[in-house]
Amino acid sequence: DGGITQSPKYLFRKEGQNVTLSCEQNLNHDAMYWYRQDPGQGLRLIYYSQIVNDFQKGDIAEGYSVSREKKESFPLTVTSAQKNPTAFYLCASRDSHNSPLHFGNGTRLTVT
Amino acid sequence: EDKVVQSPLSLVVHEGDTVTLNCSYEVTNFRSLLWYKQEKKAPTFLFMLTSSGIEKKSGRLSSILDKKELFSILNITATQTGDSAVYLCAVANAGGTSYGKLTFGQGTILTVHP
């Protein structure tokens, strides 16, 4: 079955530690996206990538980093510079600019 | 910066009621507007709209886009408890340095009571 896999489902970290969230897709989609969701704030765009080895900052990129070394993978690193990292993180992909986003099931990150 | 504003932020109705959710936007180069339903985790796709005035319909849900006034509405008729969810609106940017960017609104939380 084709889809987007995010792992882990729940992640707990101590303040000051970097953490990497995994996102893998087997849909052969070119574009991939990372969003953050907080209560009452909808989805906010962190980073997006249209092709391998290229990515753009979204609206809230500070404190995050990404890489796109392979078409199927778009990992997100939450660095210690991110002030409020506790949130629900959603990864998505799509195959063209005239198609909708497909979402993974998300990773809930808690930093204490 | 692209901007999407949804209203109302929350809505409580009873089964059988009809609801209208609103989405207004500002985007430098508009490509499309998308509606999603989010119940637990992953949002699920409802509609993609690119042309003004053409209604898209799926069962009890329908949506229409007005590119002149920069808004879209999502209608749900004869609501059921299973319609309870967060409804998200997003706009896709078609140009320049924001090519491919998808910006979401805050979402509307719909609660349908039996």
Side-chain angles (χ1 to χ4, degrees), chain B residues 3 6-9 16 25 29 32 40-41 50 52 61 63 66-67 79-80 82 114:
Chain B
K3 191 174 176 184
Q6 292 185 244
S7 65
L9 293 182
Y25 63 88
N29 291 285
S32 58
K40 300 260 189 223
K41 295 188 178 166
T50 55
S52 270
L61 277 68
S63 183
D66 185 329
K67 286 167 75 173
T79 52
Q80 301 170 357

Side-chain angles (χ1 to χ4, degrees), chain B residues 49-92:
Chain B
L49 304 154
T50 55
S51 301
S52 270
I54 298 173
E55 185 183 53
K56 292 225 172 174
K57 201 168 168 66
S58 176
R60 295 177 294 103
L61 277 68
S62 64
S63 183
I64 198 159
L65 174 68
D66 185 329
K67 286 167 75 173
K68 184 180 175 188
E69 299 298 328
L70 308 182
F71 79 91
S72 173
I73 60 172
L74 175 69
N75 278 322
I76 309 175
T77 59
T79 52
Q80 301 170 357
T81 55
D83 294 327
S84 296
V86 178
Y87 289 84
L88 297 162
C89 173
V91 171

